[in-house]
Amino acid sequence: MAESSSKQKKLDENTSIMNIDRISSLPDSVLCHILSFLTAKTCVATSLLSRRWRHVWENIQVLEFREDFHDCYEDDDDFEQFKQFSVLVNGVLTLRRSRDIRKFVLSCRHTHEDMFYANSVATWVRVAIGPRLEELELSLFSSDGEAFVMPYNLFTCTNLVSLSLCGGIHVKLHSSTKINLPSLKILQLDIDSVDCIDTLLSGCSTLESLDICFAPKCLSTIRMPHSLKSLKIGVENNDIGTHFEIVSPGLEYLSINQITAFGPITVCNFPEVTQVFLDVFSLEESVNALLNLLLAISATNTLELRRSTTKEPSPLQIWVEPTSAPQCIVSVLDVFYIRGFQGYGDEVEFVAYLLRKGLVLTRIHVICSDVFTDERTKYRILKRLSFVPRASTKCKLIFE
Amino acid sequence: MAAEKSSIKIITLIAADGSVFEVEPNIVKEMKTVQSYIDELDQNTVSIPLPNVFGNDLAMIIEYCKKHASEEETKEAKEEFDFEFVKRMKSDDKLRLLQAASYLNMESFLQFMAKAIAAEIENQSVEFVRDYFQIESDFTPEEEAELRKENEWAFK
């Protein structure tokens, strides 16, 4: 039987090479690789493909649950939908054979108004947290504004490599909370609230990528891990003036965003950083912070400054030409972008400064803000900048 | 590891259709099946038959390995390459390459193909996936109806 079918296959090979089931003969481990990139719902559905597939999904160690709820408005429908979603999650968690979860992704709604939501989510997260967990991605959409409090034992998952928390989640820490995340390489936090971020970071000794957006709550120094290679940071309302210390000599990528006030900042030299994005236009009285940053990024060839608010003053307004120009501007900077350009004198002067100093510049892109529509002023600025003597003859000025 | 086996300069891979590929040792590092073959031998030139991989597929795999083994390429360039690599493939190519990756025991290339295949079947019906993989169901209609009912919660 087997022989004749293999002969048949050979005969078919020339005529209909496409009609071979190449997959089902592969080992379970390979099939599980495919399943590990699917949501749990699709994984369960593969049990219906054939007998070969019937129980394969039960061995998955990567569980991804995403509630699809964007086009539901009625409260009753909403609840009905969440109920169905929870039957799916509970079904998968109960029927799986492998007790280990390596990766867990959960994206759903959450509310404290109905304990069914709160208890379900809390139980699922507890199931996921364990010594084998390598990746956790949690996005919760809370309708009542009350956040889900992350269980403490997450912060002692020694095998956790990647952690992403987003939405209605509260990371409640005390300065004495034990944090031990020795394997953590990637941390992404965009959540309602986080206390003692410095305590959290101090327990991540090998962190390489940090993407964080938060509002500092206490006056302290936040030290970025020494091991960082990529840092994307957004700070909201740093009215209390939290001090940031970015002393990570291996840093390769730096992005500072959405800052309404960025306090004092300590940086080291970043010899590896080639790309920098700075949204620093709402810095107040912090021209030194900008200059310090420009001095630190000595190897940066692509720099982007963005003005996300129309609020003044900008740090460029009190920009005083330093006695010696930062090295990155003089001899490394290749491309410079200035976004949200509104035609203020300080912006123009800064661009002119770069034109005069940048020996290896090839492009400057000036991208105007939507609110800047005065064509005559634009023309005048362009004319003014075109008269500035350029240090680099190759430098093009692109005005958009 | 490369230093230990520095005596080997060139590795010859012979595909199922007889086509021959000469590659440097660092290119086959990821092919554990090939690597274990090399480790067993102790000679300067190695010729390895790969009866389960066709020349066209092997050429693509080597192209991928070369790109990823290169230290000059940036991470972005490699990602761009991966994107284009998947884009120019038909479904059957992906399935064949997954098969080859499984045979050659290539962890990261296997992951890469598994991901590309998963992207095509995510959220699709059982019928679609059967058709995509060319699977013939060996369930009786009654069995299938019963299974469907049993796992109803996954089909809503």
Side-chain angles (χ1 to χ4, degrees), chain A residues 115-126:
Chain A
M115 287 319 285
F116 185 74
Y117 285 83
N119 289 338
S120 296
V121 170
T123 311
W124 299 334
V125 171
R126 268 172 55 195

Side-chain angles (χ1 to χ4, degrees), chain B residues 28-47:
Chain B
V28 297
K29 241 195 287 176
E30 217 221 311
M31 305 177 186
K32 287 206 197 84
T33 305
V34 173
Q35 200 59 50
S36 61
Y37 202 103
I38 297 170
D39 292 345
E40 276 174 25
L41 296 167
D42 190 26
Q43 47 193 77
N44 285 350
T45 52
V46 192
S47 164

Side-chain angles (χ1 to χ4, degrees), chain A residues 17-27 30 33-34 37-39 41-42 44-45 47-54 57 84 87-88 91-92 95, chain B residues 92 95-96 98-99 102 107 110-111 114-115 117-118 121-123 126 129-130 133-139 143-144 147-148 150-151 153-156:
Chain A
I17 198 154
M18 307 291 277
N19 290 329
I20 301 167
D21 177 358
R22 300 180 185 284
I23 291 298
S24 297
S25 59
L26 295 173
V30 176
H33 266 311
I34 300 178
F37 292 106
L38 296 170
T39 56
K41 197 174 165 167
T42 311
V44 180
S47 65
L48 266 173
L49 292 173
S50 68
R51 284 180 207 282
R52 168 76 184 91
W53 286 82
R54 172 95 197 263
W57 79 268
Q84 268 178 30
V87 171
L88 169 78
V92 171
L95 290 171
Chain B
D92 195 58
L95 298 174
R96 263 193 349 267
L98 180 81
Q99 227 177 355
S102 167
E107 185 66 23
L110 188 76
Q111 290 261 5
K115 191 176 181 180
I117 291 165
I121 61 170
E122 174 59 40
N123 233 340
V126 173
V129 181
R130 252 183 214 150
F133 286 156
Q134 302 289 341
I135 293 174
E136 241 173 89
S137 169
D138 47 6
F139 293 124
E143 280 176 321
E144 191 171 328
L147 274 174
R148 211 173 263 272
E150 217 173 75
N151 289 339
W153 42 271
F155 296 102
K156 285 205 168 157

Side-chain angles (χ1 to χ4, degrees), chain A residues 294-363:
Chain A
L294 290 176
L295 288 169
I297 52 173
S298 55
T300 296
N301 54 36
T302 308
L303 173 65
E304 179 170 329
L305 292 189
R306 186 180 307 186
R307 183 182 207 130
S308 60
T309 62
T310 50
K311 211 178 90 185
E312 282 195 89
S314 85
L316 298 183
Q317 198 164 32
I318 39 172
W319 169 255
V320 184
E321 287 190 17
T323 41
S324 69
Q327 191 194 335
C328 95
I329 292 180
V330 178
S331 54
V332 191
L333 196 64
D334 175 35
V335 185
F336 173 70
Y337 294 88
I338 180 163
R339 277 184 206 279
F341 185 81
Q342 289 165 42
Y344 291 115
D346 53 296
E347 295 169 334
V348 179
E349 287 316 309
F350 191 74
V351 174
Y353 177 72
L354 291 184
L355 281 171
R356 281 203 315 276
K357 298 287 178 189
L359 286 171
V360 293
L361 264 174
T362 57
R363 274 177 295 148

